[in-house]
């Protein structure tokens, strides 16, 4: 019973429409898929209407958060939120703020690159985004590809879009404790996404994950393409120590990433435990 709990659509920085994601999930042989676009629930309705017979959809989102790094500083973490009420006022307002900030920040990055002679048109980058959608660096990577400046999204990140690059513009993300509380208030459950994905930038220490567990975090995403085997073992042991649930997911982004849907999966009993804790939105059965 393959279960993949982390996938993006064109409502954020994936390339499949929500309906296409459902079709791709069926084609990949999945029984359960979660839609987890960054900072939006805009794809839920279309995805829900397109769940193939026999499949289940877990509505969710991925929230960009700022967290203590456990070493005296801060770093970015991603929080997967499932089965929350998307109309919860505080959450709705914060997601709307994050989308606006993402768009402003994407435009600034495009402007910086255009000013340096890169073949990107900030207006065109923004015009291609659906209204009120959360723009992200993959959209700028696509523009750089169209302009012939890079050959792949990965190359764009490695050369120009990483946090160390002079073209990178930071965002003001939600404090992670606040985000956990907001999702809990909306009846949802939270799982820390790819906590030890070092290639993306600085990561939190184990003590921070313990603090998040105390705050109400339900699980950690252990099996993720950006975690190598020793990292998975370390996280699995930590999850056991902290009584956290363990998930596995592809973090599918369509053609913006090379991972396949269902490349990593979650055990059915872990999904059952997450569903049992949630009350903000129903699982959608096809
Ligand atoms: P942003 O949301 O603008 O901060 O950009 C981060 C997004 O880009 C995340 O959703 C990642 O999945 C994606 N991303 C990060 N690094 C890479 C990479 N090397 N190649 C492709 N996508 C990436
Ligand atoms: Fe993404
Ligand atoms: Fe993420
Ligand atoms: Zn993701």
């Amino acid at each position: 019973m393959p279960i993949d709990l982390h996938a993006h659509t064109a409502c954020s920085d994936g390339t499949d429409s929500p309906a296409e994601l459902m079709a791709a999930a069926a084609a990949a042989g999945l029984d359960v898929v979660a839609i987890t676009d960054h900072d939006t629930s805009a794809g839920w309705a279309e995805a829900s209407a397109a769940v193939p017979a026999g499949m289940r959809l877990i509505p969710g989102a991925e929230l960009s958060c700022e967290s203590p790094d456990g070493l005296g500083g801060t770093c970015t973490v991603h929080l997967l939120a499932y089965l929350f009420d998307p109309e919860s006022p505080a959450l709705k307002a914060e997601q709307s703020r994050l989308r606006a900030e993402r768009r402003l920040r994407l435009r600034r990055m495009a402007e910086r690159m255009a000013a340096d002679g890169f073949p990107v048109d900030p207006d065109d980058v923004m015009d291609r985004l659906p209204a009120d959608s959360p723009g992200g660096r993959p959209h700028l990577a696509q523009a750089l590809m169209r302009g012939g400046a890079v050959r792949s999204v990965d190359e764009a990140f490695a050369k120009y879009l990483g946090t160390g690059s002079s073209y990178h513009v930071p965002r003001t993300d939600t404090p992670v404790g606040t985000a956990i509380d907001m999702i809990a208030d909306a009846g949802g459950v939270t799982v820390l996404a790819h906590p030890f994905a070092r290639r993306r930038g600085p990561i939190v220490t184990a003590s921070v994950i313990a603090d998040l567990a105390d705050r109400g975090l339900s699980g950690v995403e252990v099996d993720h393409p950006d975690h190598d085997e020793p990292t998975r073992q370390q996280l699995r042991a930590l999850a056991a120590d902290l009584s956290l649930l363990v998930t596995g997911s592809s973090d599918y982004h369509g053609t913006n990433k090379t991972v396949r849907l269902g490349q990593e999966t979650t055990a059915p009993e872990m999904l059952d435990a997450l569903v049992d804790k949630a009350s903000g939105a129903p699982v959608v059965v096809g």
Side-chain angles (χ1 to χ4, degrees):
M1 188 168 113
I3 299 166
D4 188 339
L5 294 182
H6 188 164
H8 296 263
T9 76
C11 292
S12 64
D13 57 359
T15 56
D16 291 357
S17 69
E20 285 167 348
L21 173 66
M22 294 305 109
L30 294 182
D31 292 302
V32 183
V33 67
I35 181 172
T36 54
D37 279 311
H38 298 281
D39 305 319
T40 184
S41 315
W44 287 19
E46 182 185 322
S48 298
V51 184
M55 257 187 62
R56 281 180 288 159
L57 168 69
I58 309 292
E62 184 172 20
L63 287 68
S64 305
C65 302
E66 184 181 282
S67 171
D69 61 8
L71 302 167
T74 59
C75 68
T76 299
V77 296
H78 289 175
L79 199 62
L80 289 162
Y82 301 110
L83 300 164
F84 56 86
D85 174 4
E87 295 301 324
S88 172
L91 176 65
K92 207 173 164 179
E94 178 62 357
Q95 290 201 312
S96 172
R97 183 194 72 78
L98 284 166
R99 290 195 296 276
E101 172 150 7
R102 276 178 165 279
R103 296 175 74 93
L104 211 62
R105 173 259 202 165
L106 182 63
R107 172 178 280 281
R108 293 237 169 86
M109 287 185 68
E111 285 169 353
R112 283 189 186 183
M113 296 198 78
D116 260 7
F118 283 90
V120 292
D121 172 0
D123 288 331
D124 181 57
V125 171
M126 301 315 292
D127 286 348
R128 287 170 180 266
L129 297 178
D132 192 32
S133 70
R137 283 175 281 167
H139 297 105
L140 185 50
Q142 292 287 356
L144 289 166
M145 276 173 71
R146 284 193 299 274
V150 296
R151 272 188 299 241
S152 69
V153 173
D154 265 339
E155 185 186 348
F157 269 87
K159 285 188 174 164
Y160 307 118
L161 305 181
T163 48
S165 160
S166 59
Y167 299 112
H168 184 264
V169 176
R171 295 181 310 249
T172 309
D173 290 335
T174 316
V176 65
T178 307
I180 290 173
D181 292 350
M182 265 179 187
I183 296 297
D185 288 346
V189 289
T190 46
V191 170
L192 194 60
H194 46 72
F196 289 168
R198 288 179 192 82
R199 74 170 189 115
R200 293 167 176 247
I203 57 169
V204 294
T205 60
S207 71
V208 172
I209 298 181
D211 291 343
L212 299 182
D214 286 342
R215 186 76 176 237
L217 182 75
S218 291
V220 285
E221 191 181 49
V222 170
D223 292 307
H224 182 282
D226 290 353
H227 290 156
D228 61 19
E229 197 46 49
T231 300
R232 293 177 193 212
Q233 282 172 21
Q234 185 192 355
L235 257 175
R236 226 181 286 281
L238 180 64
D241 275 354
L242 299 174
S243 300
L244 286 167
L245 299 171
V246 162
T247 67
S249 344
S250 65
D251 203 354
Y252 176 74
H253 279 67
T255 57
N256 273 343
K257 275 194 187 174
T258 54
V259 296
R260 288 175 295 104
L261 260 179
Q263 178 172 325
E264 311 280 354
T265 56
T266 296
E269 58 273 22
M270 294 293 170
L271 174 61
D272 290 345
L274 284 173
V275 171
D276 283 348
K277 284 170 179 258
S279 58
V283 175
V284 185
V285 181

